[in-house]
Amino acid sequence: MKKRIIISLLCGLIICCIAVYSFATTGIVSTDTLRLRKSNSTDSSIITLLSIDEKVEILERTENGWYKVKYIDSKTNNTYEGYVSGDYIKVNEEIKTPPANPSEDNKTSDEENKKQPEEDKNIPSEEEGTKENVEESTTKMINKGEKIYKIPLINSNTISILENDVTVKIATELNGWSYVTSENLEGWVRTEKLKDTGAKNKIGYINTNSVNFREKPDLSGKVISALSKNAEVEIIEENNGWIKIKYKDNVGYVGTKYVSDSKIQTTSRSAASRKAKTPTKTTKTATKETEIATTETLPAKAEAVSANANASEIVSYAKKYLGYRYIHGGNSPSGFDCSGFTQYVYKHFGYSLSRSSSSQAGNGVGVSKGNLQPGDIICFSGSKGSKKISHAGIYIGGGKFIHAANSRKGVIISNVDGDGYFYVCARRIIN
């Protein structure tokens, strides 16, 4: 009788040990980033990402060398169950492969079993077949100054820090991160950093007599055609001094400063005397310095709503919009970007400014920093020593200017010197 009891106890102990051995073994992640997938294949969608030295509970090993594991996120306490490649899990014991005839959930085809174990890649590739939440690419905007990461971890290496607002497409989303692409950019960004660009592309108009429409954003790019003044174009993306546009059935590029958000008013016969006073500049054909093929007419004073407006009126009007929100591409009280704000304020007083900050640096007449007066347009670069204009505002006196800063601050007043802005030049629009 005692022997039976002892044997029963030993059998129970053995069963418990086997259960712990088979189903409660701890594994350690041995690579920087490891994907937890829904099934034991690189074609399967990703559930979450595991970091090096994180622990998982190994439930079983599949025939093709993957582990079925349970993972508890230490930050959120969320529990996940899925599959990881066995090549990137360290265990002290041998994990037995389950018996033949596995359940339907764990079956893999002969082709899948022949696949090599998942490699430690930093970003999803087409071969991995990452099938995430985004079924169709979505266009979003990322503000200047945001960081693009190599892998979706906040402490990973950055690919770049944006010098300008950039429009991107979302390729995939994962645990609060988005993998984004554009003409010159690929990488991961925190999803909350993405901003809506609007359902439709913005419409713009060519603001000079003739401009080259090129296949790529470079003066060496093949010319598709020459676009004439007031040609209507669909704006797809703006970046680094070029605008990607669609015109009729063609997609290509023109210089940013040659596109405005409204048509250029043609001068009537009765205004012939005013037209004669319009300042012009002549440019060479297809040189490295210019894209203009003909003489370019600079924006001039339009039919004035308040023809005798003075600087104080312009400053007072601009201050009415303090606190209004920033929207990339915006030029109305529903949302402004920097050049949209300056353009909107001056338009109220009958002055037509170019649409971008870089092209506004050619409006009016130049003034030195020491001779700034309220109402002057001031232009800035994004870094010390750079002359590349990326921001504009209106000088209000006392070493300060009003401007549409960014999506976090909206329309604010800042110091000309400091506050992260680097003065390049100033233009006087009114006499």
Side-chain angles (χ1 to χ4, degrees):
M1 188 65 178
K2 288 183 179 180
K3 286 184 179 181
R4 287 184 180 180
I5 293 173
I6 292 172
I7 291 172
S8 297
L9 290 172
L10 289 173
C11 288
L13 182 60
I14 291 171
I15 291 172
C16 290
C17 291
I18 292 173
V20 171
Y21 176 77
S22 300
F23 299 107
T25 301
T26 297
I28 307 295
V29 177
S30 62
T31 187
D32 288 339
T33 305
L34 182 63
R35 297 167 181 81
L36 179 69
R37 297 185 180 270
K38 288 186 178 179
S39 62
N40 56 331
S41 166
T42 56
D43 289 334
S44 177
S45 59
I46 301 169
I47 299 172
T48 190
L49 298 177
L50 311 182
S51 299
I52 192 167
D53 293 333
E54 287 195 302
K55 295 181 180 181
V56 296
E57 180 184 339
I58 299 176
L59 304 179
E60 64 182 46
R61 182 170 184 168
T62 65
E63 291 181 337
N64 62 339
W66 288 61
Y67 289 137
K68 183 177 182 181
V69 302
K70 181 186 290 185
Y71 166 67
I72 300 175
D73 190 324
S74 60
K75 295 180 180 178
T76 64
N77 289 324
N78 291 334
T79 300
Y80 302 93
E81 194 169 301
Y83 294 82
V84 295
S85 171
D87 283 1
Y88 304 106
I89 295 291
K90 292 191 298 185
V91 292
N92 295 325
E93 305 96 340
E94 179 184 356
I95 308 301
K96 293 184 178 180
T97 300
N101 301 321
S103 65
E104 291 297 322
D105 288 341
N106 295 333
K107 286 183 179 179
T108 56
S109 66
D110 291 338
E111 182 180 348
E112 288 175 328
N113 289 337
K114 292 177 183 178
K115 290 185 177 179
Q116 296 297 319
E118 181 183 29
E119 297 180 1
D120 177 31
K121 298 179 181 177
N122 285 331
I123 59 175
S125 67
E126 292 180 1
E127 291 181 358
E128 289 179 317
T130 307
K131 300 169 185 175
E132 299 302 316
N133 302 335
V134 183
E135 295 182 358
E136 297 181 0
S137 61
T138 303
T139 300
K140 294 283 187 177
M141 190 268 291
I142 309 175
N143 288 135
K144 168 185 172 182
E146 299 297 352
K147 295 180 180 179
I148 306 299
Y149 292 86
K150 189 175 181 181
I151 58 176
L153 293 172
I154 201 67
N155 60 349
S156 75
N157 293 333
T158 56
I159 295 173
S160 67
I161 299 176
L162 300 183
E163 294 183 358
N164 299 290
D165 296 345
V166 176
T167 301
V168 297
K169 290 184 177 180
I170 303 176
T172 186
E173 293 180 351
L174 183 66
N175 294 340
W177 289 85
S178 294
Y179 187 72
V180 298
T181 62
S182 70
E183 288 282 337
N184 304 308
L185 181 70
E186 288 187 13
W188 291 92
V189 64
R190 291 293 302 169
T191 301
E192 70 262 20
K193 301 296 184 182
L194 298 170
K195 310 296 180 183
D196 289 331
T197 58
K200 296 182 179 179
N201 288 327
K202 184 180 174 182
I203 298 300
Y205 301 89
I206 300 301
N207 61 18
T208 190
N209 291 334
S210 179
V211 66
N212 290 325
F213 180 37
R214 297 185 181 271
E215 288 185 347
K216 60 181 183 179
D218 192 284
L219 292 175
S220 64
K222 181 180 178 181
V223 177
I224 300 170
S225 64
L227 303 183
S228 58
K229 182 186 290 186
N230 288 333
E232 183 178 301
V233 299
E234 186 178 347
I235 299 172
I236 299 174
E237 179 178 282
E238 180 177 349
N239 197 10
N240 294 329
W242 292 85
I243 293 184
K244 185 177 183 180
I245 62 171
K246 182 176 182 181
Y247 178 69
K248 295 184 177 179
D249 294 327
N250 294 314
V251 174
Y253 298 83
V254 297
T256 300
K257 63 183 178 179
Y258 303 124
V259 180
S260 301
D261 64 346
S262 59
K263 289 185 176 181
I264 302 299
Q265 297 296 319
T266 56
T267 307
S268 64
R269 291 182 182 178
S270 61
S273 61
R274 289 196 301 272
K275 181 178 179 181
K277 296 180 181 179
T278 299
T280 62
K281 67 177 182 182
T282 302
T283 56
K284 298 178 182 179
T285 304
T287 68
K288 291 184 178 180
E289 289 79 18
T290 181
E291 271 292 277
I292 291 295
T294 62
T295 298
E296 176 189 351
T297 301
L298 294 174
K301 185 186 295 186
E303 294 297 328
V305 176
S306 175
N308 297 318
N310 58 41
S312 62
E313 289 178 306
I314 289 174
V315 171
S316 295
Y317 185 73
K319 288 182 177 179
K320 290 182 179 181
Y321 296 98
L322 280 171
Y324 276 61
R325 66 175 179 164
Y326 178 102
I327 292 181
H328 178 67
N331 63 341
S332 72
S334 61
F336 299 102
D337 63 14
C338 66
S339 56
F341 176 66
T342 53
Q343 185 187 57
Y344 180 84
V345 170
Y346 268 94
K347 185 177 180 180
H348 177 77
F349 295 97
Y351 293 88
S352 177
L353 299 187
S354 299
R355 179 60 184 90
S356 69
S357 56
S358 58
S359 56
Q360 285 179 7
N363 294 165
V365 295
V367 293
S368 66
K369 189 176 182 182
N371 291 321
L372 283 173
Q373 293 180 5
D376 289 343
I377 298 292
I378 46 179
C379 303
F380 302 87
S381 70
S383 59
K384 188 176 182 180
S386 172
K387 298 298 182 183
K388 184 177 180 181
I389 294 168
S390 59
H391 194 66
I394 299 173
Y395 186 66
I396 63 173
K400 298 182 181 296
F401 72 107
I402 185 170
H403 61 130
N406 53 48
S407 58
R408 294 182 295 276
K409 297 179 180 178
V411 178
I412 61 172
I413 292 174
S414 299
N415 293 308
V416 173
D417 295 316
D419 290 346
Y421 301 98
F422 301 93
Y423 178 91
V424 176
C425 65
R427 308 295 294 186
R428 186 158 297 156
I429 308 302
I430 61 174
N431 296 324

